[in-house]
């Protein structure tokens, strides 16, 4: 999706993604065996999501904004967190009215069609494709930032910052998806909290994440990308360790809010930072590589957490492992250094 966004722009790509979502969720409504769910929802649906979600939307946003790139990507990324929070309530209501099968059809058609319409009307590749410049500038700055060089994915793959960021995002993916998938089960099974109140903790986590994404993007423009990355990784590590002491509804909500705030700080920072280091032209492909790492790790997180719980009877070891992974991720981020300009000079980035 990132490579296609850089080459063709997000307009048609995101519209195709919306079509995939319509087809996937409609087919999911017909599920009668487990493998149907894996194919319809887990493969076709997620292909659609990949074509119209984080990579195309945030990389395109970064191409339109340079001076406030973090703020812009943070605001856009907040949409996904808000969508998750609202859909929990909407889906619950729809299931009560139309059953889960009818709800899948309604959600798929409405969201997919809206994605198609908005993409075709509003999305454009970059300001240059419309005869404009980033940030609404009317003329090129007299002194160009060397980091605005047009690095390709192949060229960037020969430098260490890309792979250090890939590694850090890989490690962050484990606790993130694990907690999103296991919070309600943890609250119900281990803490004896009712399902409604447990779901409320997840909602509190995602709503906090909405504000955190906006703040993190803005703060990275003001104080630099690395400090916000450090704050996020260290905060998630501390939150995971706090999880060891959760024993009531109050402490569960404190944990959920802390985890949601710290993990979401960097959602909009990744594409902004990649654009700082390698320029805007290939930020889609670069961000695609970084998020692919998180996806691979994220796919293992829920399985690892569930296995640890089923084997040991608690999530304590999983919390400790998550904290250690975040600390290692901080070390990888510390090692990121500005890349050399392709012309031989020293490049600059926001550190």
């Amino acid at each position: 999706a990132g490579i296609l966004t850089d080459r063709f722009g997000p307009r048609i790509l995101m519209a195709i993604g919306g079509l995939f979502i319509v087809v996937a969720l409609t087919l999911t409504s017909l599920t009668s065996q487990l493998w149907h769910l894996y194919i319809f929802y887990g493969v076709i649906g997620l292909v659609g999501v990949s074509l119209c979600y984080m990579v195309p939307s945030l990389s395109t946003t970064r191409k339109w904004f340079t001076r406030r790139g973090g703020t812009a990507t943070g605001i856009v990324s907040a949409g996904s967190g808000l969508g998750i929070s609202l859909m929990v309530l909407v889906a619950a209501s729809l299931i009560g009215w139309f059953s889960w099968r009818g709800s899948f059809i309604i959600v798929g058609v409405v969201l997919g069609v809206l994605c198609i319409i908005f993409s075709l009307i509003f999305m454009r590749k970059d300001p240059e494709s419309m005869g404009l410049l980033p940030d609404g500038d009317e003329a090129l700055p007299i002194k160009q930032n060397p980091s605005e060089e047009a690095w390709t994915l192949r060229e960037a793959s020969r430098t260490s910052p890309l792979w250090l960021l890939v590694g850090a995002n890989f490690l962050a993916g484990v606790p993130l998806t694990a907690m999103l998938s296991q919070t309600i089960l943890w609250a119900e099974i281990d803490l004896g909290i009712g399902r409604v109140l447990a779901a409320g903790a997840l909602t509190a986590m995602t709503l906090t994440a909405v504000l955190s994404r906006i703040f993190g993007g803005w703060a990275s423009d003001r104080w630099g990308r690395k400090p916000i990355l450090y704050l996020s990784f260290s905060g998630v590590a501390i939150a995971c360790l706090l999880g060891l002491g959760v024993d009531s509804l109050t402490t569960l909500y404190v944990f959920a809010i802390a985890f949601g705030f710290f993990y979401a700080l960097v959602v909009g920072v990744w594409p902004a930072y990649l654009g700082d280091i390698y320029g805007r032209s290939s930020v889609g492909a670069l961000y695609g590589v970084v998020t692919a790492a998180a996806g691979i790790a994220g796919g293992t997180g829920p399985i690892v957490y569930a296995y640890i719980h089923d084997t040991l009877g608690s999530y304590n070891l999983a919390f400790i492992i998550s904290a250690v992974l975040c600390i290692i991720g901080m070390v990888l981020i510390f090692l990121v250094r500005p890349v050399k300009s392709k012309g031989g000079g020293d490049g600059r980035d926001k550190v």
Side-chain angles (χ1 to χ4, degrees):
I3 292 172
L4 292 174
T5 300
D6 289 336
R7 183 165 183 176
F8 302 109
R11 188 182 183 188
I12 301 299
L13 188 72
M14 295 177 73
I16 294 173
L19 180 60
F20 265 81
I21 289 174
V22 173
V23 172
L25 297 193
T26 300
L27 290 175
T28 302
S29 73
L30 305 176
T31 295
S32 60
Q33 298 185 45
L34 183 58
W35 70 267
H36 293 166
L37 188 64
Y38 286 140
I39 298 299
F40 300 154
Y41 190 86
V43 176
I44 300 176
L46 272 295
V47 168
V49 170
S50 296
L51 295 178
C52 59
Y53 182 41
M54 298 292 283
V55 172
S57 62
L58 294 190
S59 62
T60 298
T61 302
R62 179 60 178 86
K63 292 179 181 182
W64 279 84
F65 296 91
T66 297
R67 288 191 295 272
R68 297 294 179 89
T71 301
T73 53
I75 292 173
V76 172
S77 69
S80 63
L82 184 61
I84 292 172
S85 300
L86 293 178
M87 281 307 301
V88 170
L89 302 177
V90 171
S93 299
L94 288 176
I95 291 171
W97 295 332
F98 303 103
S99 80
W100 68 267
R101 294 186 186 274
S103 300
F104 265 117
I105 296 175
I106 294 170
V107 171
V109 171
V110 172
L111 295 186
V113 170
L114 287 177
C115 182
I116 293 170
I117 293 173
F118 290 157
S119 300
L120 294 178
I121 294 177
F122 297 112
M123 297 303 295
R124 295 297 183 271
K125 181 178 181 181
D126 52 36
E128 288 82 358
S129 67
M130 299 184 67
L132 303 172
L133 294 171
D135 305 310
D137 289 336
E138 297 182 359
L140 288 171
I142 296 176
K143 186 176 181 180
Q144 288 275 20
N145 188 328
S147 68
E148 273 295 295
E149 286 185 309
W151 288 77
T152 66
L153 175 60
R154 177 174 294 183
E155 291 168 337
S157 67
R158 301 191 186 106
T159 66
S160 62
L162 175 62
W163 300 112
L164 290 169
L165 294 176
V166 165
N169 212 20
F170 177 90
L171 297 175
V174 174
L176 170 57
T177 56
M179 285 313 309
L180 289 176
S181 70
Q182 301 288 311
T183 295
I184 294 178
L185 292 174
W186 175 39
E188 283 191 284
I189 297 173
D190 290 13
L191 305 178
I193 295 172
R195 178 165 297 183
V196 174
L197 292 176
L202 185 60
T203 300
M205 183 188 298
T206 55
L207 285 176
T208 302
V210 172
L211 300 177
S212 177
R213 293 176 193 211
I214 298 173
F215 173 75
W218 171 82
S220 74
D221 286 334
R222 185 175 181 88
W223 295 304
R225 315 297 187 207
K226 274 191 173 182
I228 305 305
L229 288 167
Y230 291 146
L231 178 61
S232 174
F233 276 70
S234 61
V236 171
I238 293 172
C240 288
L241 294 178
L242 289 176
L244 297 173
V246 171
D247 57 2
S248 66
L249 180 63
T250 300
T251 53
L252 173 65
Y253 272 69
V254 170
F255 165 83
I257 291 171
F259 188 89
F261 177 81
F262 287 113
Y263 96 73
L265 277 175
V266 295
V267 175
V269 174
W270 296 111
Y273 198 18
L274 289 165
D276 294 342
I277 299 173
Y278 299 107
R280 294 177 299 119
S281 63
S282 295
V283 71
L286 297 170
Y287 185 44
V289 171
V290 171
T291 55
I296 293 170
T300 66
I303 298 174
V304 171
Y305 267 51
Y307 177 79
I308 289 175
H309 182 274
D310 289 348
T311 303
L312 302 179
S314 77
Y315 290 106
N316 288 348
L317 178 60
F319 282 131
I320 295 172
I321 292 174
S322 295
V324 172
L325 293 178
C326 288
I327 293 172
I328 297 174
M330 289 179 62
V331 174
L332 296 181
I333 293 167
F334 173 78
L335 296 175
V336 173
R337 294 292 182 268
V339 294
K340 293 287 186 179
S341 168
K342 291 192 292 184
D346 288 332
R348 295 179 293 166
D349 66 347
K350 293 184 179 181
V351 297

